[in-house]
Amino acid sequence: MLRTVKDYTSTEGKPNWCPGCGDFGIEMAMKQAMAQLDLDPDKVLLISGIGCGANMPNWFSTYGFITLHGRALPVATGAHLASHELSVFVEAGDGDAYGIGMGHFIHAMRRNPNMVYIVGNNTVYGLTLGQISPTAAKGCKGPSTPFGNPDLPVNPIALALANHCSFVGRGYAGNLPHLINLIKAAHQHKGFALVDVLQPCVTYAKDVGYKYYQDLTYDLQEAGHDKTNLEAAMKRAFEVPEKYPIGIFYQEERPLYEEELPQFKKGPLVSHDISNVDITPIFEEYSS
Amino acid sequence: MKINELNFMIGGKAGEGIEVPGNMFAKLCMKAGLWLNATREFYSVIKGYNNINQIRVAEQPVKSHINRYDLILAIDDETVPRYYKDVVPGGGIIYDPSLVSASSVQSEVRPGGALVYDATLMKEALSREDINYFPVPMSDLAMEKVGLKLAKNIVGIGATLALLDYNVQPLLDLIVKTFARKGDDVVNKNIDAAQAGYNYAREKFSREFNYQLRNVKNPVKKFFADGNEVMVFGAIKSGLKFVSEYPMTPSSSILHTTAKYAQKYNISVNHVEDELSAMNMAVGAGFAGARSLVATSGGGFALMTEAVGMAGMIEAPVVCIECQRPGPSSGLPTRSGQGDLRQVMHASQGEFPRIVMAPGHHEEAFYMVHEAFNLAERYQCPVFIISEKYLSEGYATLPYLKTDHLRVDRGKLLKESEIRAGYKRYQITADGIPPRAIPGQKGGAHLANTYEHLESGYSTEEVGHVTAMYERRMKKIELIEKNLPAAELEGNPKADFTIVCWGGTYMPASEAMDMLNRDGVKTNLLHVKYMLPFQPGVREILEHCKRPVLVEGNYTGLLGGVIAEKAGIDIRSRILDYSGRPFTPDKIYEEIKKLTKK
């Protein structure tokens, strides 16, 4: 019997996002992708940071972990290396990923652990009442920038392309079928997969809402983009804010972090027998 | 004549190599069947500045270093004028007359580092009548025999062995072993250098020195390692599977040593981008079921603070070793101090159970780290081991440590077959400890949540749920406290003075106690090992002590504050040192002697 969204849904309660929030789309796309991939919920670990979207593990029936603001990736990396056969999904917001946790993002891409990194990119900090995020355009106004954002926005796609990210994707929370397929492709990818999701915040970022993205997004794959061409991908990454390409910008096969180390060959570290480790050889080594 | 009782020191500039000959000398002594304690004092620079390597040798286990030397091997210009006063009468200095002579003047003055000396001081340094001077042209011999000035340290070690009337062959064997990887040429050059130094000293000063090394018959099997290495051995024995660390002196060798054994013992060892990542990763790995370790010093630990609270909140087992160096801020990177106790005890917002403990010496450090992993899983909380540079980077010989009695205790970690329908990770249990499933186990799916949560892990802010969960979590503290071993008083319970200390200060304090007792000053010792929860029995012991004396490597008496808070006893007599150098037994001895006169 094929699994359905229900198999991934917690019985404890329902999401508390604002009506119309892009997070509903991301949640549904993730559950649909998991169901279509027929993942065993007990083998799925969903790790999040802090923020509206990062509350997501509350509403999943898989293993979950709501961590700290900006630290979802290192926590996920540790859990993944301890138990590397799990399907690890990491859910973070743009503040998590491109603000406070930017350093971890850069280094995770270098490391290439096998996990999907879904970043809800809505250009604002919703949970703290609407300040600008690192992806907000210059000039954007908010409670912390009453005279306009003085800084230029982060370009996460270009950043990932420039930094060895082995799967660089962008989805749109208002295009569910596309987002489901993108998350599935990201999960099937062997390595670290970034899925940046354009996500309207209907409460605080009304200028960049569904209408805005509906008009400006287009499907890279339909447009004939070659996802193995880094140069072409980089060019597309800089089409914002005139156009927002969605789909797979770039994908390459690279050995996984854990594949290159013999420690992981005997199965997940958590399955190793630790009841009687013999350290006499170490004493011998240090006695000569 | 003193046989097999020697406090030896090698002094030289950073980059000149005092570590390799020091280790060689130490290993020779170990092979001869002797016990030793070795510590290095060095500047936080890669080249230049005077560093010393202190190696104390005896036929019985050596408790601590001391700063009175029997023999100094000075391979630079600065060691002699700096330390000539610290040589015991009858002791000696081996020095290079091309660097040290009555006409030597400072070639280069390094503000903040070098001793400024002139011809007057040099002359004085070379004219003590109660010690022996052994001029050995180490640089010249090194140039002459191997064409390499840097080999002067090996020449010096050769000369040292000759003066101690010990066979040169074990040194030559060790050189072969040490330099084999660098090729025959390097091996042969070093052998020639060692032999040249040995022959020179034999010819010039044969058998006029008061100290000798001899092989001990039927020695105990032992090994030689520093505190960090010993702690790693304890971690590996306990089933270590995951390490994430960012290098920081004096904790880095924990990363290096675990990395060295990563493949042999199947451990994932990760040099990560920063300490934020290190602690967060380790918590992730601990949550997922791997025994995980982080190590750092005070500055790095400050960055880990937020994730410490996360481990407390989601009840993940994780072990952290904090190797103290003196602060505040960057402080003294390569020196020792005990200023981080409160930081470790109180890091992170809110209240949650944690265990903070500190070993006093190498052997205790081994067992304490092993225990830490069991405690972390039994009580599902972060466990902290506080060390300091003196213990972490100080070396000792140890007997092969007994491990047969050690057990891996994983607490309430469930087997898949034990997980019942309706499993709740944060179940309110009588003892406060909930049953633990790990990701991947069938039927164990749950949410680990840094927000306050229900038994399932689902977020909540409702008063009833919040208080119930809070109380269940905090209840673990009582249980931990109840099961901690009680403090013990070492020595005569009726003594006049009680040294109260923690951490590596135990080593010099323990020897100071022996010195004082030999001298008729009745002294015993209380070494507090668990600071959080506070070790039971401390109050009862102190209530019966005539005069407790606090000995700590900080300015404010941090342990004293904890004792005042937890045991209600204010220790007035205090010996505190914040110079960045570890206590010596002599210093504690002298300070307590002063107290006898008050």
Side-chain angles (χ1 to χ4, degrees):
Chain A
M1 198 179 72
L2 278 181
R3 291 187 165 95
T4 66
V5 166
K6 216 178 147 200
D7 294 308
Y8 304 91
T9 301
S10 153
T11 52
E12 296 266 8
K14 290 198 161 49
N16 50 17
W17 300 307
C18 309
C21 176
D23 280 327
F24 287 105
I26 297 176
E27 180 213 357
M28 192 45 66
M30 285 172 70
K31 287 178 178 173
Q32 283 283 6
M34 287 176 189
Q36 290 177 22
L37 291 162
D38 197 29
L39 302 179
D40 177 351
D42 284 330
K43 304 288 177 196
V44 172
L45 176 57
L46 171 59
I47 295 190
S48 70
I50 295 290
C52 295
N55 281 328
M56 200 143 332
N58 274 305
W59 306 297
F60 277 67
S61 63
T62 64
Y63 280 91
F65 190 164
I66 299 175
T67 68
L68 300 169
H69 196 40
R71 314 296 164 218
L73 275 183
V75 173
T77 305
H80 161 69
L81 292 176
S83 196
H84 71 266
E85 287 172 2
L86 296 171
S87 290
V88 176
F89 291 84
V90 185
E91 212 286 337
D94 43 3
D96 258 331
Y98 309 138
I100 191 167
M102 178 65 107
H104 305 311
F105 173 48
I106 306 268
H107 294 283
M109 292 188 282
R110 293 170 52 216
R111 223 171 260 137
N112 202 33
N114 199 11
M115 60 180 64
V116 181
Y117 191 31
I118 297 167
V119 183
N121 181 357
N122 63 3
T123 76
V124 291
Y125 287 66
L127 206 54
T128 51
L129 311 181
Q131 301 88 346
I132 48 145
S133 94
T135 53
K138 189 174 163 82
C140 264
K141 288 187 179 168
S144 62
T145 50
F147 306 107
N149 175 16
D151 305 328
L152 289 164
V154 163
N155 185 329
I157 301 295
L159 200 68
L161 290 169
N163 200 52
H164 315 292
C165 188
S166 60
F167 181 105
V168 183
R170 172 171 264 167
Y172 164 42
N175 187 342
L176 211 58
H178 182 271
L179 186 57
I180 292 167
N181 284 333
L182 185 62
I183 292 173
K184 277 166 67 183
H187 181 266
Q188 282 160 336
H189 170 73
K190 201 183 80 175
F192 183 83
L194 169 69
V195 180
D196 179 84
V197 185
L198 303 170
Q199 175 201 0
C201 172
V202 293
T203 305
Y204 294 112
K206 290 180 178 146
D207 292 349
V208 284
Y210 289 99
K211 173 82 176 73
Y212 176 82
Y213 287 126
Q214 213 73 47
D215 294 344
L216 297 181
T217 50
Y218 75 91
D219 187 329
L220 278 169
Q221 272 60 49
E222 278 176 12
H225 169 66
D226 173 10
K227 66 180 182 185
T228 64
N229 186 337
L230 184 61
E231 222 171 302
M234 198 55 116
K235 227 169 164 178
R236 303 265 186 187
F238 283 99
E239 287 178 1
V240 292
E242 281 74 35
K243 280 183 200 160
Y244 287 86
I246 57 171
I248 304 170
F249 283 77
Y250 185 68
Q251 186 172 10
E252 71 167 334
E253 278 282 313
R254 213 168 82 222
L256 291 170
Y257 184 73
E258 63 270 21
E259 266 176 2
E260 298 190 297
L261 296 169
Q263 310 58 330
F264 297 94
K265 299 270 191 286
K266 293 175 188 157
L269 298 180
V270 291
S271 69
H272 295 189
D273 179 14
I274 60 166
S275 59
N276 193 13
V277 179
D278 181 15
I279 57 163
T280 321
I282 301 183
F283 294 158
E284 296 286 350
E285 193 183 326
Y286 277 72
S287 70
S288 61
Chain B
M1 174 73 66
K2 283 195 171 174
I3 294 166
N4 288 343
E5 199 186 319
L6 176 79
N7 190 26
F8 176 56
M9 183 261 266
I10 308 179
K13 296 274 194 288
E16 285 185 336
I18 61 165
E19 203 180 339
V20 171
N23 280 340
M24 282 184 173
F25 184 81
K27 281 185 179 172
L28 286 176
C29 293
M30 177 173 66
K31 282 174 186 288
L34 300 170
W35 298 86
L36 47 109
N37 177 298
T39 188
R40 289 190 303 138
E41 280 298 335
F42 54 101
Y43 285 84
S44 181
V45 293
I46 295 168
K47 298 272 180 204
Y49 285 19
N50 175 267
N51 293 344
I52 62 171
N53 196 343
Q54 299 165 264
I55 302 160
R56 192 173 168 209
V57 183
E59 285 190 13
Q60 295 77 38
V62 184
K63 287 184 171 177
S64 165
H65 79 302
I66 49 170
N67 291 345
R68 287 169 289 118
Y69 306 108
D70 299 311
L71 180 62
I72 288 178
L73 167 60
I75 60 172
D76 69 346
D77 56 338
E78 223 177 282
T79 303
V80 178
R82 256 180 194 268
Y83 295 105
Y84 74 98
K85 284 184 183 160
D86 301 328
V87 178
V88 300
I93 300 176
I94 304 170
Y95 67 97
D96 190 331
S98 71
L99 297 169
V100 181
S101 73
S103 59
S104 298
V105 289
Q106 190 83 331
S107 53
E108 193 185 352
V109 177
R110 295 164 182 272
L115 171 85
V116 181
Y117 63 81
D118 55 15
T120 318
L121 178 57
M122 273 302 195
K123 202 169 164 189
E124 205 178 295
L126 289 171
S127 54
R128 263 184 72 178
E129 288 187 355
D130 58 344
I131 63 172
N132 303 289
Y133 291 96
F134 303 110
V136 177
M138 290 177 267
S139 312
D140 294 349
L141 283 171
M143 276 310 284
E144 190 185 310
K145 298 289 174 189
V146 304
L148 192 68
K149 221 178 192 173
L150 266 181
K152 65 182 175 177
N153 53 5
I154 303 294
V155 175
I157 286 292
T160 303
L161 288 186
L163 282 171
L164 296 171
D165 201 24
Y166 194 71
N167 190 354
V168 75
Q169 193 55 45
L171 173 63
L172 304 184
D173 295 344
L174 204 55
I175 288 174
V176 174
K177 204 179 157 218
T178 309
F179 296 108
R181 273 186 311 171
K182 297 188 173 178
D184 287 351
D185 186 47
V186 175
V187 169
N188 291 335
K189 278 183 174 167
N190 279 288
I191 283 182
D192 289 348
Q195 192 75 57
Y198 191 85
N199 293 346
Y200 185 91
R202 265 271 182 270
E203 282 161 27
K204 299 280 176 187
F205 332 104
S206 191
R207 294 179 174 81
E208 67 181 49
F209 194 43
N210 303 325
Y211 295 83
Q212 284 190 4
L213 283 185
R214 285 187 202 156
N215 289 337
V216 172
K217 281 183 192 139
N218 306 319
V220 179
K221 249 179 146 184
K222 45 179 106 62
F223 69 94
F224 181 63
D226 73 13
N228 281 348
E229 288 168 330
V230 171
M231 288 193 277
V232 169
F233 305 162
I236 293 175
K237 178 64 198 166
S238 83
L240 180 69
K241 283 287 135 196
F242 187 88
V243 179
S244 42
E245 187 173 341
Y246 186 83
M248 184 168 186
T249 306
S251 67
S252 307
S253 61
I254 291 178
L255 175 61
H256 305 164
T257 310
T258 51
K260 185 168 83 172
Y261 289 113
Q263 301 199 349
K264 181 164 181 178
Y265 287 97
N266 297 307
I267 308 162
S268 172
V269 179
N270 304 276
H271 170 171
V272 299
E273 62 268 29
D274 52 37
E275 285 90 349
L276 302 168
S277 185
M279 184 53 103
N280 279 280
M281 270 198 201
V283 173
F287 155 76
R291 289 203 151 185
S292 72
L293 173 74
V294 288
T296 186
S297 188
F301 186 69
L303 294 180
M304 295 180 177
T305 297
E306 194 185 16
V308 167
M310 173 168 70
M313 186 57 155
I314 69 138
E315 302 179 62
V318 64
V319 175
C320 172
I321 302 175
E322 211 263 46
C323 309
Q324 299 167 104
R325 63 194 224 190
S329 199
S330 303
L332 300 165
T334 59
R335 309 290 175 175
S336 205
Q338 298 188 296
D340 296 352
L341 178 58
R342 288 289 191 177
Q343 180 186 214
V344 177
M345 286 176 67
H346 306 300
S348 216
Q349 68 274 27
E351 306 165 291
F352 54 90
R354 80 180 90 190
I355 299 171
V356 178
M357 52 195 187
H361 52 87
H362 295 73
E363 188 170 331
E364 189 164 73
F366 173 84
Y367 291 111
M368 207 177 252
V369 169
H370 188 279
E371 181 197 6
F373 282 94
N374 283 344
L375 295 177
E377 288 209 284
R378 195 181 303 149
Y379 301 112
Q380 301 178 16
C381 70
V383 177
F384 303 91
I385 308 243
I386 310 184
S387 171
E388 61 278 277
K389 180 257 181 180
Y390 181 57
L391 173 60
S392 280
E393 293 192 344
Y395 286 86
T397 40
L398 295 164
Y400 280 25
L401 298 169
K402 289 194 174 62
T403 57
D404 289 347
H405 64 293
L406 297 176
R407 296 283 171 271
V408 168
D409 173 7
R410 309 208 63 181
K412 289 196 192 176
L413 179 63
L414 299 172
K415 293 193 187 74
E416 206 166 57
S417 59
E418 296 168 333
I419 301 174
R420 304 270 167 272
Y423 165 75
K424 289 191 177 357
R425 168 69 181 96
Y426 299 101
Q427 189 189 334
I428 311 273
T429 53
D431 62 359
I433 304 174
R436 177 167 160 243
I438 52 172
Q441 286 183 322
K442 198 145 195 56
H446 63 268
L447 174 60
N449 193 344
T450 55
Y451 289 103
E452 192 55 277
H453 40 263
L454 302 175
E455 288 179 298
S456 62
Y458 190 84
S459 300
T460 185
E461 297 187 26
E462 298 312 315
V463 172
H465 293 140
V466 168
T467 49
M469 190 54 65
Y470 210 106
E471 284 164 8
R472 196 271 303 152
R473 216 168 28 238
M474 293 302 278
K475 205 172 178 185
K476 295 196 286 186
I477 295 177
E478 289 162 45
L479 188 67
I480 300 167
E481 197 173 344
K482 218 167 65 189
N483 287 297
L484 286 182
E488 287 172 35
L489 188 66
E490 282 183 38
N492 178 2
K494 296 207 170 102
D496 295 317
F497 291 91
T498 300
I499 298 174
V500 182
C501 66
W502 65 285
T505 298
Y506 171 81
M507 292 181 266
S510 160
E511 183 161 349
M513 171 174 73
D514 296 343
M515 290 164 71
L516 287 159
N517 284 324
R518 273 200 299 272
D519 220 17
V521 182
K522 286 184 197 149
T523 310
N524 56 25
L525 189 154
L526 172 62
H527 180 240
V528 181
K529 296 177 180 140
Y530 300 86
M531 290 77 188
L532 209 62
F534 191 62
Q535 188 165 19
V538 171
R539 181 172 54 84
E540 290 78 359
I541 288 173
L542 287 176
E543 274 172 353
H544 294 97
C545 285
K546 285 188 195 158
R547 186 163 182 189
V549 182
L550 189 69
V551 182
E552 285 192 67
N554 54 50
Y555 188 91
T556 50
L558 296 170
L559 176 68
V562 176
I563 291 173
E565 176 195 329
K566 308 274 186 184
I569 292 170
D570 184 17
I571 302 177
R572 302 265 169 79
S573 302
R574 298 173 161 216
I575 304 172
L576 303 172
D577 190 312
Y578 34 90
S579 64
R581 276 40 170 200
F583 281 101
T584 59
D586 312 51
K587 168 154 176 159
I588 300 170
Y589 167 88
E590 280 156 21
E591 294 293 325
I592 290 182
K593 285 281 270 191
K594 277 187 213 161
L595 292 175
T596 63
K597 289 169 192 131
K598 277 179 192 167

